[in-house]
Amino acid sequence: MRFIFISLFAICVCIEKQTVLASDATSSGKSEKFVGHKHARRKLDDIGGDISIDCGVPAGFMYLDEKTQLSYKSDEEFIRTGVNKNISSKFMSANLQNTYATVRSFPEGNRNCYSLRPPEGKAKTYLTRASFMYGDYDDEDKLPEFDLYIGVNRWDSIKFDNASHVVIKEIIHSALMDEINVCLLNTGKGTPFISALELRHFHNATYRTQSGALVLYRRLDVGSTTTQIIRFKDDHYDRIWVPYPGFPGSASINTSFIIDSLVDSQYRLPSAVMKTAVKPMNVNDSLDFDFEIGDPTLQFYVYMHFAELESRQGNQYREFSIELNGNLWEKSVVPEYLQSKTISSTQPARGSKLNFSLCKTSNSTLPPILNAIEIYILTDTLQEPTDQDDVNAIMDIKLSYDVGKGWQGDPCSPMYYSWDGLNCSYNGYKPPKIISLNLTSEGLTGKISPSLSNLKSLENLDLSNNSLTGSIPEFLSQLPLLRVLNLDGNKLSGSVPTSLVARSQNGSLLLSIGRNPDLCLSAPCKKEKRNSVMPVVAASVSLLVILIALLVFWTYKRKRGSLKSDNQQFTYSEIVDITNNFHRILGKGGFGTVYHGYLADGSEVAIKMLSASSSQGPKQFRTEAQLLMRVHHRNLASLVGYCNDGGNVGLVYEYMAYGNLKQYLFDETKEALSWKDRLQIAVDAAQGLEYLHHGCKPPIIHRDVKTANILLNEKMQAKLADFGFSKIFPAESESHISTSIVGTVGYLDPEYYASNRLTEKSDVYSFGIVLLELITGLPAIIRGYNNTHIVNRVCPFLERGDVRSIVDPRLEANFDTNSVWKVAETAMECVPSISFQRPTMSHVVTELKKCLEMETAREQIQRTKSQMLSLSSSVDISAVEVETEMGPEAR
Ligand SMILES: *[C@@H]1O[C@H](CO)[C@@H](O)[C@H](O)[C@H]1NC(C)=O
Ligand SMILES: *[C@@H]1O[C@H](CO)[C@@H](O)[C@H](O)[C@H]1NC(C)=O
Ligand SMILES: *[C@@H]1O[C@H](CO)[C@@H](O)[C@H](O)[C@H]1NC(C)=O
Ligand SMILES: *[C@@H]1O[C@H](CO)[C@@H](O)[C@H](O)[C@H]1NC(C)=O
Ligand SMILES: *[C@@H]1O[C@H](CO)[C@@H](O)[C@H](O)[C@H]1NC(C)=O
Ligand SMILES: *[C@@H]1O[C@H](CO)[C@@H](O)[C@H](O)[C@H]1NC(C)=O
Ligand SMILES: *[C@@H]1O[C@H](CO)[C@@H](O)[C@H](O)[C@H]1NC(C)=O
Ligand SMILES: *[C@@H]1O[C@H](CO)[C@@H](O)[C@H](O)[C@H]1NC(C)=O
Ligand SMILES: *[C@@H]1O[C@H](CO)[C@@H](O)[C@H](O)[C@H]1NC(C)=O
């Protein structure tokens, strides 16, 4: 049987990992999980104190799984939220592993976390494995999708092909803290659940990386002659080895002896895995195989395991080298008889393909062999956990008031999934801080907790409608940023600290202390009733849908500036003439209306009249206008002139006959743009943007890249327009500038939105969205249920290796799949939420040009083919789509 590889052409954040069928996984024969096991109460440290949790079994329950010989226990001590569920009896079967019979489901809360405290503590290497099988446990017959996090870092997305599909995710990581959090995030696509959670502790010298964690991609028992998965007890560490018989052109070899019977390597490889291997059929051949990854941005760590299985006669000698993607990876491997040896990467490997070639050295008499291979994807652990002082303080508050049942994992991270009742500030890569805390009506009793004084960034504190007693502590006035303090409706007594009263009086604090019968404003006490409504303004951002349109008006003062440039200056009455009294409107934007006009020489122009309001000074207007007028590039809409006359300000652009790309793309009445046209437009627009970023000194950030701002002339040449929002870097040395946020919903860089840090990478993000629109023919925000963002729409398809389903149906399969893939990949490279992961526009231009070449080549071949067909109808030329190879293949 050949192991089936799934969706290797996966891209970006969405990558399918190793999945195993439930019935294939080791199973325990009878499903007798709930039958009392007398002998089941074995020591739980069968594998070195590791943790094996069968999620969803009744609290206190513990059993030994007979087939795996693993002791599972219930999850009660690891999590406080969620409900236990049994899977539907339809999916129960004799060979289903016990752990899948029950699940814990999380209908409440956006984020639910297991917290594991392995006895070995932090700074050790762990393998964490989460398993999922839906089994219609909620009788809804609806497959959910959700995200899996380890600590504050994204691990993977969980998706299912069907209700009996078992999804297993593994990650090898070094624990930074004593507590390891595994979190399930509700992404609005169904209720998260989990079937089992396991933690294994590894020798600290194994699976080491410079940084980041390793997500399992493949772990293969090469040369296996059975279909049996190998794990505990064969594997001391309980790694799951998937049988892989071999590559075409290779032969399987085996030994009946035990490998490593005398001495274990640190990897403690199971003898059952190591005692089979493959070698090339011909002694002089190399052993070649590759893995088609698809996403060139991913980084891999590879571990190859070898043991000599054939006892060598006389002068027989086995030595070989390993090449990875054409580079020498290991000069010399000499496997030792019946002893394991592991060759691993010291640096991560990259490439859209992992191309291995094991080649015997010149004086070797025997061919190369391979016993087992593991491949991991390096995941960055970039997101910072919440500020440690804030964490300590909020944990104290949680404990002392016994609040926050759903308060699990990190308080603020990941972004947008902070604990209920608190809001955080996210400042680039600095640790998030708690800025508001709302514990209204939580039944708090006792005094106001001194730990609150450690929340140094707190701006907003609401403790209203509880039963807090004692006096109002002085320390609240020491919180430097506190702007709103609501203590209404408690049982506080004594006098209000004068420092608080003072801050309230000078307007720096909105203080509410009403409905506290025993409280008085100042000593000596007299009753004071005070109640104020708290206007709370806090920013809540939804990553998926940003609903608020942000507009900034490019404004100016009435005073006429003296613009000196080559551009023509027009008076208002000339503009009236040119536009035939503003007769034909071409479009309306956030800061003005665009009119059509004819210049005296008959050339057509588009004139944007800016709406007048004034906050920006004339000087600023002048600098920006002057700079923009100096920008000349064939892919930038050029400014013909301007008008600045008696409060009427207008910009005169060259006229673009086919209007903007947005209109064109979504206009059903127009003939659909061909794939090649789209590519040409993408290349043009990208070049315009590249010029702004890298060709202009100082660089210019457009800030409003979108299909509506890409104009098409009569030759279908695209030009970037509308520099109204553009920002010029003050100095080249600056890596970013902080500015108020402008841009358009759907195109707005989430990092810029969250941090106000503007770099040219914000334009790259927006351009990625434009590319996705060109591929799909869908707008950036797809209206309808939940207003899906285009990235979220395409990601699941790309992940499955399915690009055809997202391509604009109007293209009618008239395109080169590889070229579409490449554009999709490029687009996805542009849209990570972290800006420095995005490429430069120069890179994007290069990639897009390659795509255009591919498509041009395809068109030529098509033309040649049809010519040949018309020449000879007897020639059978079938246009076979070249499928991307799925598994490792011999070449
Ligand atoms: C699951 O099934 C067991 C045994 O059939 C039963 O005792 C238990 O109550 C069920 N649990 C739930 C949550 O339905
Ligand atoms: C469920 O999905 C798995 C994984 O894709 C597949 O191998 C299996 O055949 C499917 N089972 C059914 C019953 O469709
Ligand atoms: C691994 O652990 C041992 C003992 O706990 C320690 O002495 C050693 O320094 C550790 N090695 C590494 C590479 O962390
Ligand atoms: C081991 O290899 C021999 C041939 O060399 C084959 O006959 C035998 O079936 C193999 N044994 C196993 C367990 O695969
Ligand atoms: C392998 O190469 C050696 C030396 O070039 C040659 O003598 C031998 O016949 C070759 N064996 C096979 C099976 O091709
Ligand atoms: C993989 O190796 C084969 C043969 O050695 C070579 O033709 C091919 O170009 C290589 N591919 C990559 C991506 O390195
Ligand atoms: C040839 O084999 C010998 C061992 O028999 C080894 O020491 C030597 O390095 C090998 N030479 C080459 C060129 O591989
Ligand atoms: C706190 O939460 C309650 C409801 O949960 C809400 O009515 C109140 O406005 C919130 N207070 C603040 C300051 O956000
Ligand atoms: C957090 O922000 C959201 C959205 O602005 C707001 O509704 C909520 O009241 C805030 N919570 C607190 C505790 O201020």
Side-chain angles (χ1 to χ4, degrees), residues 70 94 161 172 187 350 379 398-399 446 572 705 835 862:
L70 290 165
D161 291 349
I172 295 180
T187 52
R350 274 175 192 274
T379 64
K398 177 183 170 177
L399 282 177
Y572 184 67
V705 175
S835 63
Q862 293 274 315

Side-chain angles (χ1 to χ4, degrees), residues 381-547:
T381 44
L382 287 175
Q383 185 144 19
E384 285 286 339
T386 302
D387 180 81
Q388 191 63 48
D389 290 340
D390 280 14
V391 174
N392 295 344
I394 200 77
M395 289 307 281
D396 272 352
I397 292 162
K398 177 183 170 177
L399 282 177
S400 58
Y401 291 133
D402 193 25
V403 289
K405 190 155 95 71
W407 285 9
Q408 306 151 341
D410 190 278
C412 297
S413 293
M415 212 194 253
Y416 316 119
Y417 286 90
S418 64
W419 287 352
D420 286 345
L422 54 84
N423 282 343
C424 304
S425 68
Y426 300 94
N427 188 3
Y429 302 117
K430 297 205 193 100
K433 298 222 166 98
I434 297 170
I435 55 167
S436 79
L437 178 60
N438 186 351
L439 290 173
T440 191
S441 313
E442 287 278 345
L444 311 188
T445 55
K447 290 190 156 52
I448 291 179
S449 167
S451 298
L452 285 167
S453 67
N454 295 329
L455 293 174
K456 288 282 190 279
S457 302
L458 207 58
E459 296 171 7
N460 203 323
L461 178 61
D462 190 347
L463 299 173
S464 60
N465 302 321
N466 286 299
S467 306
L468 294 168
T469 51
S471 57
I472 299 179
E474 178 80 34
F475 64 70
L476 288 175
S477 68
Q478 308 299 316
L479 288 171
L481 303 174
L482 196 65
R483 285 186 288 110
V484 177
L485 175 61
N486 189 351
L487 301 170
D488 277 356
N490 277 291
K491 296 177 183 154
L492 298 167
S493 54
S495 57
V496 181
T498 48
S499 46
L500 274 181
V501 175
R503 278 187 64 179
S504 160
Q505 277 164 356
N506 78 12
S508 67
L509 179 71
L510 190 51
L511 178 69
S512 309
I513 48 173
R515 292 183 290 119
N516 281 290
D518 299 329
L519 201 62
C520 47
L521 199 53
S522 59
C525 282
K526 48 184 193 317
K527 288 262 151 94
E528 161 88 0
K529 284 260 151 87
R530 205 171 141 169
N531 221 338
S532 59
V533 187
M534 295 202 327
V536 175
V537 184
S540 154
V541 186
S542 158
L543 177 65
L544 313 180
V545 188
I546 301 166
L547 286 169

Side-chain angles (χ1 to χ4, degrees), residues 34 84-86:
F34 298 105
N84 288 349
K85 295 280 186 181
N86 293 336

